[in-house]
């Protein structure tokens, strides 16, 4: 009896230990009923976004704990969502995208899901046909523009520009030198595809000839121009509008050289010449165009007491400084000075310059300037104004109002 009791006692201990061991054994964690989501929302794709058949489509939802248990369906057919993208290629059309999360809770299957309808459109591309990369043009030349859009149905959205100037409709004139960007692009439903290249615009020496006559600017076709620099000589001729353009691949290499630009004399007009450094010429043509006013060899007076009379113009003498004791004692000169890249040059009188302020520089005069001198001077200027039919050439001023000869006339 004692043996039996001992047997049953030991057996009972083993049974208790066994029950305790079963109660404490580890098991796979299962989401509790309270953890299972009441709903799921698709965060991608979105019904408000247009998708494309040549681009991937994102897939994500707002229940990250159940990512591995989520099933994705496209038009009710299961599709994998790998690394946040649907593992399928969708052709253009409409699709119902569904995410479904299912799990067993308390012996029952729980399911939540959401669907969204998206639109997929046919993708597109654009290729710039003209101009080509590294094409070279001279400033002033027309650049033809063309591009190909694939598929053609998106061609209406095509835009093309060169140097920021639109040339979608065919061509654009190059306005500045240097590297220019040419771009063709198409934008549809917030998607933009583009093709961008760089082309080279080379500088030109361009400008216009103004042959001056008593009747205004004359017909300016056929004037000959010559540019010499760096051991090279370039020739050009004006067109019907007096325009000229001299092109050279070496203009960019002329740094440090002197440039001489000459307009040849004709039977009716004096020629002209400009001598500049390459840097001065570059600054001029970048900011503006060159212009030459050609003086006529004959001039007919149109009004005043000498109306109808013609006179020859002695241009060389007009630019000689008056010197009463020198060779040019019989000549006087009348011109304005202005600065070009730091150099003083002659220029014609503009309407804004008139009337010219005239001051008697008594302080620096070698002889005293009397009241009689003043009276005589203004009588003679009046006669000049009368003879050339301009009554607004001169006006009296004090020396303080004309501090330098660039501000007016010193007498």
């Amino acid at each position: 009896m004692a043996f039996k009791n001992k047997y049953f006692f030991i057996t009972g201990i083993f049974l208790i230990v066994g029950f305790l061991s079963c109660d404490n054994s580890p098991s796979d964690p299962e989401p509790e009923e309270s953890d299972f989501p009441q709903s799921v929302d698709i965060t991608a794709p979105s019904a408000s976004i247009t998708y494309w058949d040549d681009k991937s489509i994102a897939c994500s939802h707002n229940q990250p704990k159940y990512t591995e248990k989520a099933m994705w369906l496209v038009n009710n057919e299961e599709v994998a969502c790998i690394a946040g993208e649907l593992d399928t290629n969708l052709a253009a059309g409409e699709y119902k995208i569904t995410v479904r999360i299912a799990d067993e809770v308390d012996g029952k299957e729980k399911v939540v899901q959401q669907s969204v309808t998206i639109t997929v459109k046919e993708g597109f591309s654009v290729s710039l046909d003209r101009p080509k990369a590294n094409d070279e043009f001279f400033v002033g030349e027309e650049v033809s523009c063309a591009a190909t859009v694939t598929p053609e149905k998106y061609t209406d959205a095509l835009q093309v520009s060169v140097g920021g100037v639109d040339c979608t409709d065919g061509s654009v004139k190059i306005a500045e030198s240097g590297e220019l960007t040419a771009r063709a692009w198409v934008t549809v439903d917030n998607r933009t595809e583009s093709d961008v290249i760089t082309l080279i615009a080379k500088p030109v020496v361009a400008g216009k000839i103004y042959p001056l006559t008593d009747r205004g600017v004359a017909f300016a076709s056929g004037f000959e121009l010559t540019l010499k620099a760096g051991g090279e000589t370039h020739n050009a001729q004006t067109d019907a509008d007096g325009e000229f353009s001299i092109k050279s691949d070496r203009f960019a290499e002329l740094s440090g050289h002197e440039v001489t630009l000459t307009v040849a004399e004709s039977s009716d007009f004096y020629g002209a010449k400009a001598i500049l450094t390459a840097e001065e010429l570059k600054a001029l043509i970048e900011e503006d165009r060159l212009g030459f006013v050609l003086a006529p060899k004959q001039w007919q007076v149109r009004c005043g007491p000498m109306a109808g009379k013609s006179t020859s113009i002695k241009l060389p003498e007009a630019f000689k400084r008056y010197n009463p004791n020198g060779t040019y004692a019989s000549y006087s000169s009348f011109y304005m000075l202005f600065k070009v890249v730091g150099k003083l040059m002659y220029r014609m009188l503009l309407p804004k310059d008139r009337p010219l302020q005239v001051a008697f520089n008594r302080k620096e005069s070698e002889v005293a300037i009397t009241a009689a001198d003043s009276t005589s001077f203004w009588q003679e200027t009046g006669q000049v104004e009368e003879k050339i039919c301009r009554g607004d050439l001169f006006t009296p001023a004090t020396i303080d109002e004309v501090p330098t000869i660039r501000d007016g006339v010193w007498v």
Side-chain angles (χ1 to χ4, degrees), residues 128-265:
L128 191 61
D129 302 323
R130 296 192 306 272
K132 296 290 188 182
N134 298 317
D135 276 354
E136 294 186 348
F137 300 90
F138 284 103
V139 172
E141 289 184 338
E142 290 282 339
V143 177
S144 176
C145 301
T148 299
V149 180
T150 306
E152 291 184 0
K153 66 181 180 180
Y154 295 117
T155 300
D156 288 345
L158 172 66
Q159 291 181 278
V160 185
S161 69
V162 173
V165 180
D166 180 76
C167 66
T168 306
D169 295 332
S171 64
V172 63
K173 182 178 285 189
I174 299 295
E176 60 184 33
S177 61
E179 290 189 349
L180 299 179
T181 298
R183 179 174 181 249
W185 73 96
V186 173
T187 299
V188 178
D189 290 334
N190 296 318
R191 171 179 172 174
T192 298
E193 296 294 332
S194 63
D195 188 16
V196 181
I197 61 99
T198 299
L199 57 89
I200 309 299
K202 296 182 288 188
V204 301
V205 176
K208 189 170 182 176
I209 301 297
Y210 301 89
L212 187 62
T213 73
D214 53 272
R215 294 180 179 273
V217 177
F219 185 66
S221 175
F223 283 90
E224 300 287 341
L225 293 98
T226 302
L227 185 147
K228 294 183 178 181
E232 291 190 356
T233 299
H234 302 275
N235 298 307
Q237 192 175 71
T238 57
D239 62 17
D241 296 320
E243 302 277 352
F244 66 87
S245 179
I246 303 174
K247 302 173 182 178
S248 172
D249 291 325
R250 294 196 56 205
F251 281 156
E253 304 171 14
L254 295 178
S255 179
H257 288 85
E258 185 177 81
V259 180
T260 301
L261 186 59
T262 304
V263 182
E265 181 176 334

Side-chain angles (χ1 to χ4, degrees), residues 4-20:
K4 288 183 178 179
N5 289 338
K6 182 178 180 181
Y7 172 79
F8 284 117
F9 176 74
I10 293 172
T11 302
I13 290 175
F14 277 114
L15 288 174
I16 292 172
V17 171
F19 283 129
L20 291 176

